[in-house]
Amino acid sequence: MGKRKRAKKIKTKKIKEYLYLDNKEINSILAQFEDGIPQVIQNVRQSGINNSHTVGHKNDYTGKMGAKFLAEAEGSYSRENNESNNESASEMSQEAISTVYDDYAVDIVTKLLEDHKLLKLTTKQSEGAYVQLSSHFTLIDPSSMGAIFDKDAAKELMNYGTSGDLDGAIEGIQLLTNFGKLVSNLFPDSILIQTKNALSIGKKEYFRMNAAQLRMLTFSKRKITIVGKIESIIKSEHIDVTQSMEKVTPKEIPQLFSHLGFFFLHTFAAIKPEDILIKPLAIYFE
């Protein structure tokens, strides 16, 4: 009996789920490396070539139509069909190229930063450092938390199948709503992601999920990966509002709002001194 062929092992491929991407910052970094953008363009061109294989496909109706009709109509009909295929394939190819450029550029950027020893994997870094951190997380969407809260409607709905101190629950939700309004005013158009020893402040428009989809992440136990730049480090005086207000001068009034914002995050979200503040470039699960 012949030997059985061993089953070929298939290498498991990890698919990243991108939640956030700041294309402007990614492109800015690529532009500062000589080989960054050419590497992405080469990959994009390859994608375009692969997609173009479907262009110009022609349906053959020989045998289904009369020979005389086919002879008269084949030229014009085939040309119209090919033009339609070309246009459709071109649109699909362009869409695929855009996606490849957006997501693949992140891999190129992280590789270039690693090669130049500019990408750090811990939070113990100085301001201006690029970091890639993987951690469990808490997501804070201030605008959703600060949405208009109707006490009476909530109490009526919670009466169904709910036991316990409803008034206490309602007051707790109202407190969170008020907190959300304050933080939303202090961090407008932003979504905050708290990870171990770090807080990332991302632009809402760069997230690939809407508010309802982001709420699903509340129950996620996965670790999130954040590639970003450390903009500053929280110090004890940044979250001590009383100390800040006692020493504030007219020149320092604009900074008072920043102190208030981080004071509330310290009170409700356990942000603490020596935590780093990150401007994210990309956020994803893998």
Side-chain angles (χ1 to χ4, degrees):
M1 294 179 65
K3 294 182 179 179
R4 292 183 179 179
K5 292 183 178 180
R6 293 182 179 180
K8 188 177 180 181
K9 291 184 178 179
I10 300 175
K11 188 177 179 180
T12 303
K13 174 67 177 176
K14 290 184 178 180
I15 303 297
K16 294 177 181 176
E17 179 187 357
Y18 280 93
L19 305 179
Y20 181 95
L21 195 60
D22 186 339
N23 285 323
K24 289 183 179 180
E25 290 296 330
I26 291 289
N27 293 343
S28 174
I29 296 173
L30 283 171
Q32 295 176 63
F33 285 102
E34 182 179 353
D35 298 329
I37 288 179
Q39 281 183 270
V40 175
I41 291 175
Q42 182 179 359
N43 191 75
V44 168
R45 283 177 177 168
Q46 185 62 42
S47 174
I49 292 171
N50 291 337
N51 284 327
S52 69
H53 289 167
T54 61
V55 176
H57 176 71
K58 180 172 126 181
N59 292 322
D60 186 2
Y61 290 96
T62 307
K64 296 182 180 180
M65 300 179 182
K68 183 178 179 181
F69 177 81
L70 185 60
E72 294 175 354
E74 183 178 10
S76 61
Y77 180 78
S78 296
R79 182 168 60 254
E80 181 182 351
N81 187 47
N82 281 333
E83 287 174 357
S84 175
N85 280 342
N86 284 334
E87 183 179 355
S88 175
S90 176
E91 290 176 358
M92 292 173 64
S93 177
Q94 185 59 45
E95 183 178 352
I97 285 173
S98 297
T99 302
V100 167
Y101 181 83
D102 289 346
D103 295 355
Y104 186 72
V106 177
D107 294 336
I108 296 296
V109 163
T110 53
K111 180 67 166 59
L112 287 168
L113 290 173
E114 284 177 354
D115 291 345
H116 289 78
K117 298 182 180 179
L118 296 174
L119 191 64
K120 310 301 180 180
L121 303 180
T122 68
T123 58
K124 298 297 182 182
Q125 309 298 331
S126 59
E127 293 179 358
Y130 289 100
V131 291
Q132 182 175 2
L133 307 173
S134 182
S135 170
H136 294 292
F137 68 98
T138 300
L139 188 142
I140 304 171
D141 182 357
S143 60
S144 292
M145 293 174 63
I148 297 174
F149 177 68
D150 189 325
K151 271 188 177 183
D152 295 332
K155 191 169 184 177
E156 185 175 345
L157 288 172
M158 291 176 71
N159 272 324
Y160 290 96
T162 304
S163 58
D165 184 7
L166 288 180
D167 290 331
I170 295 295
E171 288 179 8
I173 296 174
Q174 183 66 64
L175 180 63
L176 289 175
T177 302
N178 293 336
F179 166 69
K181 289 178 181 178
L182 284 168
V183 177
S184 184
N185 289 331
L186 293 166
F187 299 94
D189 303 317
S190 302
I191 290 178
L192 317 179
I193 297 183
Q194 183 183 2
T195 51
K196 186 177 180 181
N197 302 324
L199 178 72
S200 299
I201 304 176
K203 291 185 178 181
K204 201 164 190 177
E205 61 182 298
Y206 293 159
F207 278 86
R208 293 183 175 181
M209 287 182 167
N210 61 27
Q213 290 173 324
L214 285 170
R215 288 192 193 104
M216 295 188 297
L217 300 180
T218 303
F219 308 109
S220 178
K221 301 300 181 185
R222 293 179 288 176
K223 288 186 176 181
I224 205 168
T225 299
I226 297 175
V227 178
K229 188 176 184 180
I230 299 176
E231 295 297 339
S232 57
I233 301 171
I234 296 178
K235 301 299 181 182
S236 58
E237 58 267 26
H238 298 158
I239 53 181
D240 189 341
V241 177
T242 55
Q243 182 181 348
S244 301
M245 293 187 74
E246 286 174 359
K247 297 181 179 181
V248 70
T249 64
K251 186 179 178 180
E252 295 171 330
I253 287 177
Q255 296 181 7
L256 183 59
F257 293 98
S258 295
H259 286 291
L260 284 171
F262 292 110
F263 165 74
F264 286 120
L265 289 175
H266 168 68
T267 304
F268 290 92
I271 300 299
K272 61 188 184 302
E274 301 306 319
D275 281 358
I276 60 174
L277 299 176
I278 298 175
K279 178 176 69 176
L281 305 176
I283 302 173
Y284 55 87
F285 292 116
E286 62 177 350

